[in-house]
Amino acid sequence: MIPVPPAIQRFPWKLMALLSAICGFGLLVLYSAAGGSWSPWAWQQGVRFLVFLGAALVVGRFPLRIFEDFAYLGYLGVLFLLIAVELLGFVGGGSQRWLNLGFMNLQPSELMKVAIVIALARFYTQLPPGNTRTFTALWPALAAIGTPAALVMLQPDLGTALAICVGGVVVMFVAGLPFWWFGSAAAAGAAALPVLFSMLHDYQQKRVLIFLDPESDPLGAGYHISQSKIAIGSGGIGGKGFLNGSQSHLDYLPEGHTDFIFATMAEEWGLIGGLGLLFAFFLLLRWSTRVAIRARTRFGQLTAAGLTMTIFFYIAINLSMVMGMAPVVGIPLPLFSYGGSSMLTIMTCVGIILAIENDSKTGSRRFHS
């Protein structure tokens, strides 16, 4: 019997198969959304996936120490890109969020979702355990989260700003900060909702109001969510069949290849297709959660937990949005929606979590201050 080389044994075959299955299903939906054509979306998405998958595998071979050593530098670099967006970024869809790199339009706010997690993970790794219940553990983290979140709100991009905050807060929670701090912040946030609502842009306020009462303006601001619900509901148990969706093919469903791609899929593949996709996402999150639990360093544990929550936030908010359970905030479905920046973020998360998994296999657990 021919022995299997160690390099092949260590290769994450199951993870690669899972990621390929999710993206491959997405390519079929994009093919259908384009009316049975690989262009303009499916082939570009496929090429991006292969490139980013290769990059994730390379990142997964990096020593974990590299991410820890360059955590602050990476955070500052992405923060600089966010400032550059305000100065040089171009406007698309009414928002100024992108930098034109030629081969792709980069959305730096997407990268900040990863950078904030790694930076805070390093901060709490360096912080002496006795200081986690002092103000020293709080104000640097709030400043690190608040600065990029404010810049992203200026673009304006409420969904991404929330994602940055959620990723950072999860790292703070796992780091062991007092629970009553989070409870107090939640209570203060709830009390400040009227003020925060008044600070939103008109179209953002309208999205919240439409979420509360979608039928109040079915042909205007509520059009997206109304058509999304029709598409999902009309799919039934088994769907209308591949290439047979009417809402997307007849252009009733806006953004059927990006934010509302789940509705496009559900119309043709039905409840069975939706549950299959959800199960695939569950397997991905189970893997990343296990990596966080088994991480051998405090930095690895905090980083894996924060990145897992980042991926979960994408999935939960997008699905809630297309089903009318959350306001429309423009969060794409990971590896499924058409787009380069969001896929870059997700595959970066996967690559770093893979590096943490490889690190946990190299020695005994050690949690240093």
Side-chain angles (χ1 to χ4, degrees):
M1 185 175 179
I2 302 175
V4 179
I8 295 181
Q9 289 181 347
R10 290 196 305 267
F11 193 82
W13 295 107
K14 291 181 181 179
L15 177 63
M16 296 303 104
L18 177 61
L19 296 173
S20 299
I22 295 173
C23 187
F25 189 16
L27 294 182
L28 287 178
V29 178
L30 290 174
Y31 175 85
S32 176
S37 172
W38 289 109
S39 62
W41 303 316
W43 75 269
Q44 287 186 355
Q45 185 83 339
V47 170
R48 281 180 186 142
F49 174 72
L50 292 176
V51 171
F52 292 151
L53 182 64
L57 290 172
V58 172
V59 169
R61 304 305 301 170
F62 286 179
L64 190 58
R65 173 61 64 180
I66 290 180
F67 300 105
E68 193 168 353
D69 289 344
F70 289 93
Y72 295 150
L73 191 62
Y75 171 83
L76 292 175
V78 179
L79 194 63
F80 173 79
L81 291 177
L82 284 176
I83 296 172
V85 167
E86 291 300 315
L87 302 176
L88 307 171
F90 70 90
V91 177
S95 301
Q96 186 170 324
R97 304 176 184 175
W98 296 271
L99 290 174
N100 191 340
L101 302 182
F103 64 95
M104 72 174 285
N105 295 323
L106 179 66
Q107 190 174 346
S109 57
E110 287 285 334
L111 298 177
M112 182 52 76
K113 297 174 185 176
V114 179
I116 187 65
V117 168
I118 298 175
L120 288 184
R122 175 164 187 200
F123 171 71
Y124 286 114
T125 299
Q126 293 178 317
L127 192 70
N131 287 0
T132 54
R133 294 182 172 274
T134 66
F135 194 60
T136 310
L138 185 62
W139 72 263
L142 293 181
I145 295 171
T147 304
L151 287 171
V152 172
M153 282 294 290
L154 290 175
Q155 294 180 0
D157 189 352
L158 177 61
T160 301
L162 286 174
I164 291 170
C165 293
V166 166
V169 168
V170 166
V171 174
M172 296 169 69
F173 182 79
V174 177
L177 271 64
F179 184 76
W180 70 267
W181 285 3
F182 299 95
S184 300
L193 278 178
V195 178
L196 296 175
F197 181 79
S198 67
M199 295 171 63
L200 296 176
H201 291 261
D202 290 342
Y203 78 94
Q204 292 172 330
Q205 292 182 356
K206 191 169 290 186
R207 284 178 176 178
V208 175
L209 295 174
I210 287 298
F211 158 66
L212 297 174
D213 185 13
E215 280 69 41
S216 62
D217 189 10
L219 298 178
Y223 183 76
H224 287 64
I225 194 61
S226 297
Q227 294 301 321
S228 177
K229 286 181 177 180
I230 292 171
I232 294 173
S234 64
I237 301 296
K240 295 179 178 177
F242 185 51
L243 297 175
N244 290 329
S246 58
Q247 295 298 110
S248 56
H249 291 180
L250 297 177
D251 292 331
Y252 284 109
L253 182 66
E255 306 298 334
H257 64 294
T258 52
D259 294 348
F260 288 88
I261 193 171
F262 184 83
T264 302
M265 180 280 299
E267 184 182 21
E268 296 188 357
W269 297 83
L271 178 65
I272 295 174
L275 290 177
L277 181 60
L278 287 177
F279 182 67
F281 282 135
F282 164 76
L283 293 178
L284 177 61
L285 292 169
R286 185 183 69 163
W287 165 74
S288 60
T289 302
R290 284 181 171 179
V291 172
I293 293 172
R294 297 171 181 173
R296 81 185 180 99
T297 66
R298 180 170 171 79
F299 174 78
Q301 187 180 65
L302 295 176
T303 301
L307 296 181
T308 296
M309 190 63 197
T310 298
I311 298 174
F312 173 77
F313 186 84
Y314 269 99
I315 299 168
I317 296 301
N318 179 272
L319 295 182
S320 298
M321 179 183 75
V322 299
M323 289 186 266
M325 298 166 64
V328 177
V329 290
I331 296 287
L333 191 59
L335 305 175
F336 215 75
S337 295
Y338 176 77
S341 293
S342 61
M343 183 178 285
L344 173 61
T345 302
I346 295 299
M347 296 306 282
T348 301
C349 290
V350 168
I352 296 173
I353 296 172
L354 201 54
I356 297 168
E357 183 180 46
N358 290 330
D359 177 77
S360 67
K361 296 175 181 177
T362 61
S364 58
R365 290 165 65 90
R366 58 181 179 86
F367 286 81
H368 59 271
S369 60

